[in-house]
Amino acid sequence: MCRLTAVRHALNKALRPAVLGASLVAGLSLAGASQAAETWDMPMAYPASNYHSETGAAFAKEVNEKAGDEINIVTHPNGSLFGGGEIFNAVRRGLAPAGERIISALGNEDPLFEIDAIPFLATSFDDAWNLYQASKPALEKLMDKKGLKLLYTVPWPPQGLYTKKQLTSLDDMKGSKFRAYNPITTKLAELIGAVPTKVEAAEVSQAFATGVADSMITSASTGYDTKAWEFSSYFYDVQAWVPKNMVFVNKKAFEALSPETQKVMMEAAAHAEKAGWDKARELTAWYKDQLQTNGLKVETPPAAITEGFKKVGDELLQDWLKKSGDEGKAVIDAYRAM
Ligand code: PCA
């Protein structure tokens, strides 16, 4: 059904300028949208009940309420329209006009995308915000080069380690089948002697259930969404980094909107960004409580683990600086000066 939505969008686009005119387009649009409104499908990768998806839904609602005569944004959470790994290219190619992606998963496109996943560079929400501000001009430029426009970002809670076994040092991770969600967690796994396997959040439970993965680094939020207590025993609250999702739009699709609707969209994006950052801060402790209530041992990592990760983090930062060159260094310098 959801693929049909993509087809409908393509049809909407194709038919809009044609003599068939608005009546057929409206016929293909979802009920509730007014006559000439174009349906804008917005694929998202995380469950509908997660605050990232809820923030996206609130963003869509605000735009639809204020510019519903022109567009009707329909969010598709949980990878239901395009899987997490497909969303970026789908929006770039115009198959969907807008979408959401965890930014650091795009690390192979450009190192700048993974700046917020470098371990221990920014581990609190305040620092993550500063890192975002320091990197935003470069991020916007990069998106522009790819034919996209950044609308807003929302952070995940700080990243911690889920394991089946109690750990005394990082050596205990050797040979572990480690679920990675971006190139930098893949590299991190290799550096600690684990075996990385890339799995989207929507498939995490299944990966653990079938033995494809037995450890991961992610937030208490994703641990909660995937019911990590069913396949892990420990959550080590490493607070290693604070990655972000971004919501973005195809530049051509954005520029085809009226100036009024563009303005509405940018305002709604600013509201969503504020709400999303507030929600992440507010929910972090709640998520950890939920992990504990459901039976996970939520622990501060032993010093040896934190030190081990810090060493790996230094190596990953050096790597990143090499890859990202002068531009990357300028962003890190700007962040450190804040
Ligand atoms: N959850 C997402 C990305 C980071 C996070 O906390 C995931 O695990 O896919």
Side-chain angles (χ1 to χ4, degrees):
M1 178 196 102
C2 286
R3 301 278 158 186
L4 276 180
T5 321
V7 171
R8 189 190 62 220
H9 176 71
L11 273 174
N12 268 354
K13 275 181 53 162
L15 293 175
R16 246 175 113 72
V19 262
L20 288 166
S23 61
L24 180 51
V25 176
L28 291 164
S29 295
L30 283 186
S34 66
Q35 277 278 307
E38 184 183 2
T39 296
W40 268 41
D41 292 309
M42 180 165 132
M44 307 182 82
Y46 300 94
S49 58
N50 186 280
Y51 66 94
H52 284 277
S53 308
E54 287 178 349
T55 304
F59 162 76
K61 186 162 178 272
E62 182 177 338
V63 174
N64 296 346
E65 274 168 12
K66 294 184 180 162
D69 54 339
E70 193 172 351
I71 58 170
N72 180 51
I73 302 179
V74 180
T75 61
H76 301 271
N78 214 25
S80 58
L81 180 58
F82 290 102
E86 302 170 321
I87 294 174
F88 189 74
N89 279 327
V91 178
R92 194 145 76 164
R93 287 163 54 204
L95 299 175
E100 176 208 53
R101 183 64 177 144
I102 168 131
I103 309 177
S104 54
L106 305 164
N108 288 337
E109 295 255 348
D110 194 291
L112 187 74
F113 283 133
E114 59 187 5
I115 194 168
D116 63 7
I118 299 170
F120 300 107
L121 182 62
T123 62
S124 66
F125 287 115
D126 286 349
D127 285 351
W129 177 259
N130 285 344
L131 183 60
Y132 173 38
Q133 296 313 307
S135 58
K136 197 172 172 187
L139 180 61
E140 285 177 330
K141 209 170 91 191
L142 178 58
M143 292 294 279
D144 187 74
K145 267 204 292 197
K146 294 186 182 292
L148 299 165
K149 183 174 175 60
L150 177 70
L151 290 179
Y152 67 87
T153 69
V154 173
W156 288 96
Q159 307 287 290
L161 178 62
Y162 292 81
T163 60
K164 289 183 188 292
K165 291 181 304 185
Q166 186 166 21
L167 302 180
T168 48
S169 82
L170 270 189
D171 284 347
D172 297 334
M173 290 297 293
K174 290 212 165 97
S176 167
K177 289 180 253 171
F178 184 93
R179 178 260 170 169
Y181 65 79
N182 60 15
I184 214 163
T185 45
T186 299
K187 188 80 204 292
L188 180 147
E190 286 162 2
L191 289 173
I192 62 176
V195 184
T197 170
K198 195 154 178 280
V199 180
E200 288 297 323
E203 275 93 48
V204 159
S205 314
Q206 202 190 352
F208 277 82
T210 55
V212 169
D214 61 25
S215 65
M216 64 178 171
I217 290 189
T218 184
S219 59
S221 172
T222 293
Y224 173 79
D225 287 343
T226 57
K227 298 193 168 62
W229 50 87
E230 289 180 355
F231 53 75
S232 292
S233 302
Y234 290 87
F235 175 66
Y236 290 103
D237 192 12
V238 186
Q239 306 189 2
W241 64 90
V242 175
K244 301 186 293 295
N245 286 356
M246 64 176 169
V247 169
F248 51 96
V249 61
N250 179 290
K251 210 167 66 173
K252 279 203 192 116
F254 183 81
E255 284 165 359
L257 296 171
S258 68
E260 295 76 33
T261 298
Q262 290 182 7
K263 186 162 171 275
V264 161
M265 193 173 281
M266 293 319 287
E267 281 168 6
H271 297 154
E273 183 159 277
K274 166 97 180 61
W277 280 77
D278 286 351
K279 249 315 181 245
R281 283 176 192 267
E282 182 191 317
L283 287 175
T284 294
W286 183 86
Y287 277 129
K288 280 195 269 186
D289 281 352
Q290 290 300 308
L291 297 184
Q292 197 146 24
T293 306
N294 283 288
L296 268 176
K297 296 191 184 71
V298 176
E299 296 190 357
T300 305
I305 303 279
T306 307
E307 277 156 28
F309 273 127
K310 288 215 159 127
K311 256 200 215 139
V312 170
D314 282 345
E315 207 169 324
L316 291 168
L317 174 61
Q318 293 318 316
D319 250 28
W320 187 86
L321 284 166
K322 251 186 243 151
K323 277 192 295 185
S324 63
D326 290 346
E327 198 183 21
K329 188 176 175 306
V331 173
I332 301 271
D333 287 349
Y335 162 63
R336 292 213 158 120
M338 285 172 120

mmCIF file of all heavy atoms in Angstrom, residues 110-127:
data_model
loop_
_atom_site.group_PDB
_atom_site.id
_atom_site.type_symbol
_atom_site.label_atom_id
_atom_site.label_comp_id
_atom_site.label_asym_id
_atom_site.label_seq_id
_atom_site.Cartn_x
_atom_site.Cartn_y
_atom_site.Cartn_z
ATOM 1 N N ASP A 110 29.692 12.001 2.829
ATOM 2 C CA ASP A 110 30.567 13.111 3.216
ATOM 3 C C ASP A 110 30.834 13.013 4.721
ATOM 4 O O ASP A 110 29.893 12.807 5.494
ATOM 5 C CB ASP A 110 29.893 14.453 2.905
ATOM 6 C CG ASP A 110 30.874 15.610 2.975
ATOM 7 O OD1 ASP A 110 31.330 15.932 4.101
ATOM 8 O OD2 ASP A 110 31.207 16.176 1.914
ATOM 9 N N PRO A 111 32.113 13.172 5.135
ATOM 10 C CA PRO A 111 32.414 13.050 6.568
ATOM 11 C C PRO A 111 31.649 14.047 7.439
ATOM 12 O O PRO A 111 31.375 13.772 8.603
ATOM 13 C CB PRO A 111 33.926 13.305 6.666
ATOM 14 C CG PRO A 111 34.402 13.590 5.300
ATOM 15 C CD PRO A 111 33.299 13.384 4.318
ATOM 16 N N LEU A 112 31.290 15.185 6.855
ATOM 17 C CA LEU A 112 30.575 16.188 7.654
ATOM 18 C C LEU A 112 29.278 15.613 8.243
ATOM 19 O O LEU A 112 28.856 15.991 9.334
ATOM 20 C CB LEU A 112 30.263 17.416 6.806
ATOM 21 C CG LEU A 112 29.671 18.569 7.606
ATOM 22 C CD1 LEU A 112 30.745 19.247 8.452
ATOM 23 C CD2 LEU A 112 28.970 19.566 6.720
ATOM 24 N N PHE A 113 28.672 14.684 7.519
ATOM 25 C CA PHE A 113 27.421 14.084 7.992
ATOM 26 C C PHE A 113 27.602 13.298 9.297
ATOM 27 O O PHE A 113 26.631 13.036 9.989
ATOM 28 C CB PHE A 113 26.831 13.149 6.920
ATOM 29 C CG PHE A 113 26.138 13.854 5.784
ATOM 30 C CD1 PHE A 113 26.397 13.488 4.469
ATOM 31 C CD2 PHE A 113 25.212 14.853 6.012
ATOM 32 C CE1 PHE A 113 25.752 14.113 3.403
ATOM 33 C CE2 PHE A 113 24.561 15.487 4.971
ATOM 34 C CZ PHE A 113 24.827 15.116 3.656
ATOM 35 N N GLU A 114 28.838 12.886 9.578
ATOM 36 C CA GLU A 114 28.987 12.042 10.772
ATOM 37 C C GLU A 114 29.682 12.762 11.923
ATOM 38 O O GLU A 114 30.103 12.137 12.893
ATOM 39 C CB GLU A 114 29.672 10.718 10.433
ATOM 40 C CG GLU A 114 31.038 10.838 9.832
ATOM 41 C CD GLU A 114 31.599 9.490 9.359
ATOM 42 O OE1 GLU A 114 30.884 8.472 9.424
ATOM 43 O OE2 GLU A 114 32.755 9.478 8.937
ATOM 44 N N ILE A 115 29.731 14.071 11.846
ATOM 45 C CA ILE A 115 30.425 14.821 12.900
ATOM 46 C C ILE A 115 29.768 14.593 14.270
ATOM 47 O O ILE A 115 30.450 14.584 15.294
ATOM 48 C CB ILE A 115 30.498 16.337 12.554
ATOM 49 C CG1 ILE A 115 31.513 17.036 13.460
ATOM 50 C CG2 ILE A 115 29.134 17.006 12.639
ATOM 51 C CD1 ILE A 115 31.870 18.446 13.039
ATOM 52 N N ASP A 116 28.441 14.378 14.267
ATOM 53 C CA ASP A 116 27.761 14.218 15.563
ATOM 54 C C ASP A 116 27.811 12.780 16.086
ATOM 55 O O ASP A 116 27.182 12.464 17.092
ATOM 56 C CB ASP A 116 26.312 14.730 15.491
ATOM 57 C CG ASP A 116 25.446 13.952 14.499
ATOM 58 O OD1 ASP A 116 25.913 12.929 13.963
ATOM 59 O OD2 ASP A 116 24.305 14.376 14.258
ATOM 60 N N ALA A 117 28.558 11.922 15.409
ATOM 61 C CA ALA A 117 28.691 10.541 15.889
ATOM 62 C C ALA A 117 30.148 10.216 16.247
ATOM 63 O O ALA A 117 30.495 9.054 16.426
ATOM 64 C CB ALA A 117 28.167 9.562 14.850
ATOM 65 N N ILE A 118 30.969 11.244 16.338
ATOM 66 C CA ILE A 118 32.349 11.019 16.785
ATOM 67 C C ILE A 118 32.302 10.865 18.309
ATOM 68 O O ILE A 118 31.829 11.766 19.009
ATOM 69 C CB ILE A 118 33.262 12.207 16.398
ATOM 70 C CG1 ILE A 118 33.302 12.377 14.872
ATOM 71 C CG2 ILE A 118 34.673 11.999 16.963
ATOM 72 C CD1 ILE A 118 33.985 13.651 14.410
ATOM 73 N N PRO A 119 32.749 9.701 18.824
ATOM 74 C CA PRO A 119 32.621 9.464 20.266
ATOM 75 C C PRO A 119 33.302 10.547 21.114
ATOM 76 O O PRO A 119 34.415 10.965 20.813
ATOM 77 C CB PRO A 119 33.310 8.112 20.469
ATOM 78 C CG PRO A 119 33.234 7.449 19.137
ATOM 79 C CD PRO A 119 33.319 8.542 18.117
ATOM 80 N N PHE A 120 32.587 11.007 22.103
ATOM 81 C CA PHE A 120 33.067 11.934 23.133
ATOM 82 C C PHE A 120 33.413 13.338 22.639
ATOM 83 O O PHE A 120 34.032 14.102 23.339
ATOM 84 C CB PHE A 120 34.257 11.325 23.903
ATOM 85 C CG PHE A 120 33.871 10.038 24.570
ATOM 86 C CD1 PHE A 120 34.324 8.826 24.083
ATOM 87 C CD2 PHE A 120 33.016 10.044 25.658
ATOM 88 C CE1 PHE A 120 33.927 7.629 24.671
ATOM 89 C CE2 PHE A 120 32.607 8.853 26.252
ATOM 90 C CZ PHE A 120 33.069 7.648 25.762
ATOM 91 N N LEU A 121 32.981 13.679 21.445
ATOM 92 C CA LEU A 121 33.181 15.055 20.996
ATOM 93 C C LEU A 121 32.099 15.943 21.625
ATOM 94 O O LEU A 121 32.405 17.026 22.126
ATOM 95 C CB LEU A 121 33.100 15.110 19.456
ATOM 96 C CG LEU A 121 33.341 16.469 18.820
ATOM 97 C CD1 LEU A 121 34.742 16.973 19.117
ATOM 98 C CD2 LEU A 121 33.114 16.400 17.299
ATOM 99 N N ALA A 122 30.869 15.494 21.615
ATOM 100 C CA ALA A 122 29.761 16.244 22.237
ATOM 101 C C ALA A 122 28.817 15.214 22.851
ATOM 102 O O ALA A 122 28.186 14.451 22.131
ATOM 103 C CB ALA A 122 29.036 17.070 21.182
ATOM 104 N N THR A 123 28.741 15.179 24.161
ATOM 105 C CA THR A 123 28.013 14.081 24.822
ATOM 106 C C THR A 123 26.778 14.549 25.599
ATOM 107 O O THR A 123 25.999 13.729 26.050
ATOM 108 C CB THR A 123 28.951 13.329 25.791
ATOM 109 O OG1 THR A 123 29.385 14.239 26.789
ATOM 110 C CG2 THR A 123 30.159 12.771 25.064
ATOM 111 N N SER A 124 26.626 15.869 25.760
ATOM 112 C CA SER A 124 25.419 16.383 26.423
ATOM 113 C C SER A 124 24.569 17.092 25.372
ATOM 114 O O SER A 124 25.058 17.421 24.282
ATOM 115 C CB SER A 124 25.811 17.390 27.508
ATOM 116 O OG SER A 124 26.388 18.535 26.893
ATOM 117 N N PHE A 125 23.314 17.364 25.713
ATOM 118 C CA PHE A 125 22.462 18.074 24.751
ATOM 119 C C PHE A 125 22.975 19.491 24.497
ATOM 120 O O PHE A 125 22.899 19.980 23.373
ATOM 121 C CB PHE A 125 21.009 18.091 25.230
ATOM 122 C CG PHE A 125 20.342 16.753 25.100
ATOM 123 C CD1 PHE A 125 19.922 16.055 26.220
ATOM 124 C CD2 PHE A 125 20.145 16.174 23.860
ATOM 125 C CE1 PHE A 125 19.310 14.818 26.101
ATOM 126 C CE2 PHE A 125 19.536 14.927 23.707
ATOM 127 C CZ PHE A 125 19.124 14.248 24.849
ATOM 128 N N ASP A 126 23.511 20.148 25.529
ATOM 129 C CA ASP A 126 24.051 21.499 25.328
ATOM 130 C C ASP A 126 25.208 21.478 24.327
ATOM 131 O O ASP A 126 25.275 22.300 23.407
ATOM 132 C CB ASP A 126 24.538 22.090 26.659
ATOM 133 C CG ASP A 126 23.373 22.514 27.546
ATOM 134 O OD1 ASP A 126 22.221 22.549 27.046
ATOM 135 O OD2 ASP A 126 23.604 22.799 28.743
ATOM 136 N N ASP A 127 26.120 20.525 24.543
ATOM 137 C CA ASP A 127 27.261 20.431 23.623
ATOM 138 C C ASP A 127 26.796 20.028 22.225
ATOM 139 O O ASP A 127 27.314 20.531 21.218
ATOM 140 C CB ASP A 127 28.291 19.425 24.143
ATOM 141 C CG ASP A 127 29.098 20.006 25.308
ATOM 142 O OD1 ASP A 127 28.959 21.229 25.573
ATOM 143 O OD2 ASP A 127 29.855 19.248 25.942
#
